[in-house]
Amino acid sequence: MAQKVFYRYNPATEQYERVYPDMRKRMAAAVRPYVVAVIVVAAIAIGLYHTFESPREKTLRRDRDVLQQRVEMLGRQADRALAVMEDIAERDNNFYRVMMQAEPLTPGRRYAGLERQRNFDRLDSLADNTLLMTVDRKLDRLDQMLASQIKSFDFLASQASGQKERTDHMPAIQPVPEKYLRTMASGYGARRDPVYGTMKFHEGMDFSAPIGTPVYATADGTVRTSSWQSAYGNMVEIDHGYNYTTRYAHMSKLIAQVGKKVKRGDLIGLVGNTGKSTGPHLHYEVRYRGAPQNPVNYYFYDISPEQYDEIIRMAENAGHVMD
């Protein structure tokens, strides 16, 4: 490539004189084409890099996507396992420990060393390392819950081994067998009075059943009352000892006699519609130290876990008080 020659007019001599560039300009002129070439090549390379992936990059990206999907799936499985453990913990507190009358595990003991997290961010919006940390925290929590629950069951087993007599005197079955029930008319809690229309606290459970349906004692004890008791109608009250009593109201016939010893499952009367009652049913109460308890927690001898869940659902939804 021929070198360009530059001239400049000199007024003093009235002639054109050749201009010779200095060393720096000559070097710049010599390097400029190479710099331009490098920039063009780099631009093309960057464009190709962002447009096309190499086979290795495609493999890495595919492996990363698969790994992320597996971690997300593991996170969802951990959520389901935690939900099951929450249900077991609730049963432990409201079911097994009612039987033993032992203090439930406090949240501090059950989740020692862990911060309870009831809400988790959506996994697909997290960075990879944060995603893994979230799943790891869930698994740590699940591990802690399992360890605490095992200790709790060990404690209950040790308590039960030496307390057979006490458990015999603790209400543990339904007073009206499942096969005789039409429905659960009302559960424990605030309900509207069917006669006066005012809100009141319903201290027991109402079981709708035909008149003459057998009613059974729910634990061993001594009959304290077997007579007409105003709004309760024909009522049997049994003192089970260990601070437990039960009441069976609105019966059509009283069979249990005052002062008699009864065993769990003994026939004590028949379902009726006596006293302040709007239909045939049995009103059943469990009291501990004189205070009413939710009877749904005292059916653990004759129903399965599935039936227990169904009774809880029925008790929460039943709103038609019959007394």
Side-chain angles (χ1 to χ4, degrees):
M1 180 178 180
Q3 183 179 5
K4 291 183 179 180
V5 179
F6 298 92
Y7 293 88
R8 181 175 56 191
Y9 178 75
N10 188 343
T13 62
E14 296 182 351
Q15 293 181 351
Y16 284 94
E17 299 176 350
R18 186 175 179 177
V19 178
Y20 294 93
D22 58 20
M23 181 63 69
R24 186 178 64 178
K25 291 183 178 179
R26 290 200 300 271
M27 291 182 64
V31 170
R32 187 179 295 111
Y34 299 102
V35 173
V36 172
V38 169
I39 292 174
V40 171
V41 171
I44 294 174
I46 292 173
L48 291 175
Y49 175 79
H50 287 287
T51 304
F52 302 100
E53 287 183 328
S54 68
R56 176 176 172 78
E57 289 173 332
K58 290 182 179 179
T59 301
L60 291 174
R61 184 182 297 276
R62 183 172 61 251
D63 291 346
R64 178 183 176 276
D65 291 342
V66 171
L67 178 60
Q68 184 171 1
Q69 291 174 4
R70 289 180 177 176
V71 173
E72 291 176 356
M73 183 176 64
L74 183 60
R76 291 191 291 269
Q77 290 175 341
D79 284 336
R80 290 192 291 269
L82 286 170
V84 172
M85 284 305 303
E86 291 284 0
D87 181 65
I88 292 175
E90 186 68 17
R91 289 170 183 264
D92 187 56
N93 289 339
N94 296 334
F95 181 62
Y96 296 104
R97 289 182 178 276
V98 166
M99 178 179 175
M100 291 293 103
Q101 282 301 308
E103 288 296 324
L105 289 179
T106 63
R109 290 174 58 195
R110 189 178 291 279
Y111 306 101
L114 294 174
E115 178 184 0
R116 295 196 67 181
Q117 299 177 351
R118 294 190 176 276
N119 296 307
F120 298 99
D121 295 333
R122 290 185 60 189
L123 292 175
D124 56 4
S125 65
L126 299 177
D128 289 349
N129 61 332
T130 308
L131 176 65
L132 291 172
M133 289 174 60
T134 300
V135 174
D136 187 60
R137 284 197 300 269
K138 292 180 183 180
L139 294 177
D140 283 346
R141 181 173 172 225
L142 180 60
D143 183 66
Q144 180 66 30
M145 293 176 70
L146 286 170
S148 298
Q149 196 61 58
I150 290 172
K151 291 180 181 178
S152 175
F153 287 150
D154 288 343
F155 168 78
L156 292 177
S158 67
Q159 292 289 303
S161 62
Q163 299 188 21
K164 183 180 184 306
E165 181 179 354
R166 188 171 75 85
T167 55
D168 286 343
H169 290 76
M170 182 181 300
I173 63 172
Q174 291 184 123
V176 178
E178 195 76 19
K179 63 181 179 180
Y180 295 114
L181 291 179
R182 287 175 174 168
T183 183
M184 182 178 295
S186 179
Y188 177 87
R191 297 288 188 271
R192 187 172 298 278
D193 190 288
V195 176
Y196 304 112
T198 57
M199 293 300 294
K200 70 170 187 176
F201 193 86
H202 192 235
E203 297 183 340
M205 297 185 75
D206 292 343
F207 296 94
S208 177
I211 292 177
T213 299
V215 177
Y216 300 103
T218 58
D220 297 359
T222 303
V223 179
R224 176 190 290 175
T225 301
S226 181
S227 62
W228 181 275
Q229 297 292 318
S230 185
Y232 280 102
N234 288 325
M235 185 192 80
V236 169
E237 183 176 60
I238 301 175
D239 183 352
H240 301 284
Y242 300 95
N243 299 308
Y244 281 106
T245 57
T246 53
R247 292 178 179 177
Y248 313 77
H250 309 302
M251 290 192 287
S252 61
K253 182 178 181 180
L254 300 172
I255 296 176
Q257 299 178 5
V258 175
K260 295 293 185 180
K261 301 286 186 181
V262 294
K263 292 287 187 180
R264 177 181 290 128
D266 284 354
L267 182 66
I268 59 173
L270 304 177
V271 169
N273 188 26
T274 60
K276 188 171 78 69
S277 172
T278 60
H281 76 289
L282 175 75
H283 173 82
Y284 173 62
E285 295 180 11
V286 176
R287 292 178 176 264
Y288 180 70
R289 294 180 176 174
Q293 307 293 306
N294 191 342
V296 77
N297 293 321
Y298 294 86
Y299 301 145
F300 41 81
Y301 267 14
D302 63 350
I303 60 174
S304 66
E306 291 76 17
Q307 290 172 319
Y308 176 80
D309 288 338
E310 178 65 14
I311 285 179
I312 289 180
R313 186 191 64 78
M314 292 172 61
E316 290 176 348
N317 296 330
H320 178 55
V321 181
M322 301 185 72
D323 50 42

